[in-house]
Amino acid sequence: MALQFIFGSSGSGKSHSLYKKIIEEAAKHPERNYIVLVPEQFSMQTVMEETGGNQKIVLDDEGKNLILRKIAGDYEDELTILRGNLKRQGYISEVKSVISEFAQYDIREEQIDAMMEQAGVGTSLYYKLSDLKKVYQGFYAYLEENYITREEILDLLCERVPKSAILKDSVLALDGFTGFTPVQNRLLAE
């Protein structure tokens, strides 16, 4: 089965058409695996289990918030812009969202440094990015041995996909995606 797209407006039967085609193909080729990926299940837990699993605890949003609160407290004296906002309701959650987006869009410390340089020393953006970088570094240093975020699972999967017998020669169908992050694109390429 070659690359195929099913286009149509919302409610036009795209998913129904996809599943019908997958069922027909699976009946013709029972020796082949058919896998349908939807956005909510993009972590591909089956591949993780098949290729050795993940020994680290996957953090949920509340776990991330708790760790970020601790890290921000540890670095409070070094922070400039964030320091004054740490006690504000929902602020740690906002920091968590930014760090999650950094991971989803493959923004590393080098890119943060480049943005800081472009913003220019002395600007508010420079100091915000500097603070976020410190918290980002502290957060991932804290997680290193025992924890992993949902965003990091896709990076881990990129390493595991070539080892997966389940995915080898399988037909993959994607349903319900409106776009892909750079990390998701990298996984799809694998």
Side-chain angles (χ1 to χ4, degrees):
M1 182 182 272
L3 177 64
Q4 297 178 4
F5 294 94
I6 302 173
F7 295 107
S9 60
S10 180
S12 65
K14 296 181 300 292
S15 292
H16 177 77
S17 177
L18 170 68
Y19 290 108
K20 182 178 176 192
K21 177 79 171 168
I22 292 292
I23 291 168
E24 289 170 1
E25 289 292 318
K28 290 179 195 173
H29 304 283
E31 74 286 354
R32 184 174 279 165
N33 290 321
Y34 290 82
I35 302 168
V36 178
L37 299 175
V38 295
E40 298 80 26
Q41 298 174 340
F42 201 55
S43 68
M44 296 184 61
Q45 186 65 32
T46 303
V47 174
M48 295 293 282
E49 290 169 359
E50 176 205 11
T51 60
N54 173 35
Q55 304 305 315
K56 295 181 179 181
I57 298 167
V58 179
L59 285 177
D60 62 9
D61 286 343
E62 192 57 38
K64 287 185 214 174
N65 282 341
L66 290 170
I67 291 171
L68 280 170
R69 186 168 305 284
K70 180 209 179 315
I71 299 302
D74 291 349
Y75 288 102
E76 188 170 10
D77 292 340
E78 299 174 38
L79 302 176
T80 53
I81 304 287
L82 295 185
R83 177 178 44 215
N85 294 303
L86 291 175
K87 306 249 187 304
R88 279 188 27 217
Q89 180 82 19
Y91 200 78
I92 289 293
S93 185
E94 291 297 321
V95 171
K96 175 205 44 95
S97 294
V98 170
I99 288 175
S100 292
E101 287 187 29
F102 282 176
Q104 290 170 9
Y105 289 91
D106 213 14
I107 296 173
R108 307 285 182 205
E109 291 177 36
E110 300 81 35
Q111 286 92 353
I112 297 171
D113 288 339
M115 288 185 279
M116 288 169 59
E117 186 177 318
Q118 191 172 10
V121 178
T123 64
S124 180
L125 179 58
Y126 177 90
Y127 292 116
K128 285 179 185 178
L129 288 169
S130 176
D131 287 356
L132 284 169
K133 181 181 170 187
K134 285 176 188 160
V135 173
Y136 177 87
Q137 290 170 326
F139 179 73
Y140 281 105
Y142 184 88
L143 300 185
E144 196 169 330
E145 295 298 318
N146 300 313
Y147 301 98
I148 190 169
T149 65
R150 271 189 256 132
E151 295 82 16
E152 291 176 291
I153 289 175
L154 297 182
D155 281 325
L156 191 58
L157 278 169
C158 285
E159 298 169 15
R160 305 266 175 99
V161 164
K163 302 172 190 171
S164 173
I166 291 172
L167 291 176
K168 187 176 174 68
D169 298 323
S170 292
V171 173
L172 296 177
L174 306 170
D175 184 28
F177 289 90
T178 56
F180 300 99
T181 65
V183 176
Q184 289 172 330
N185 277 328
R186 195 167 57 246
L187 179 58
L188 289 172
E190 286 295 327

